Amino acid sequence: MQISTSIKVGLGLILSAIIAGKALAHGDVAPQAVDTKHLPPLGEDWLEVNPYRDNADAVKTGASAYNQNCARCHGLGAVSGGIAPDLRLLPPEDEGDEWFMYRARNGAVRNGITYMPKFEGILSQEALWSIRAWLVTLPVEE
């Protein structure tokens, strides 16, 4: 059986699109470790407000941690590309801390579909609070 050139080209394009889609997908990317040894340890109990507010070391660590673990969905510089919420819009104080930490620890699942993975047990409290410390330093541009 001879397959026509146009069918071969069509199948090649479909296969290329599938491979490219897998390469660009963000769903199964392994979280990257965050070095927080230089930050004050926070203990086992999860804190409700960010202890690293205005901590320059935490902000620097948080910027790197965000780029490695969050930017693929929440956007570079936390400017959302529409996949996930724009984290710059969270309130900068306790209320925003509470929402950020709840979502970071528990993830988001709707109708059985994971929109955001749980990071509790994957990233430390120190790593997550450092990300939050960086986020509140970003300007909100409308």
Side-chain angles (χ1 to χ4, degrees):
M1 176 175 159
Q2 186 102 5
I3 298 176
S4 74
T5 302
S6 60
I7 292 176
K8 288 179 185 177
V9 170
L11 289 173
L13 289 173
I14 291 170
L15 183 58
S16 295
I18 291 169
I19 292 169
K22 292 289 185 188
L24 297 173
H26 63 274
D28 293 329
V29 178
Q32 300 298 304
V34 179
D35 181 7
T36 59
K37 293 182 195 111
H38 60 287
L39 298 175
L42 301 178
E44 304 256 339
D45 295 332
W46 286 87
L47 304 177
E48 294 183 17
V49 295
N50 193 346
Y52 295 150
R53 281 187 192 147
D54 302 317
N55 179 318
D57 287 337
V59 170
K60 184 177 177 183
T61 299
S64 175
Y66 175 91
N67 286 329
Q68 294 173 31
N69 293 289
C70 311
R72 69 183 56 87
C73 295
H74 290 280
L76 292 175
V79 178
S80 178
I83 294 173
D86 188 324
L87 299 176
R88 299 171 306 146
L89 302 177
L90 289 175
E93 299 296 329
D94 296 357
E95 180 185 347
D97 287 353
E98 181 181 346
W99 188 93
F100 173 83
M101 195 53 75
Y102 176 82
R103 184 62 72 215
R105 289 176 65 194
N106 298 296
V109 177
R110 286 183 220 112
N111 299 322
I113 298 170
T114 300
Y115 286 85
M116 179 174 162
K118 291 180 180 184
F119 281 98
E120 183 173 348
I122 296 171
L123 295 181
S124 69
Q125 176 173 209
E126 291 82 0
L128 292 173
W129 281 127
S130 71
I131 293 169
R132 174 71 176 149
W134 174 72
L135 287 169
V136 300
T137 68
L138 301 176
V140 179
E141 298 171 7
E142 297 182 25

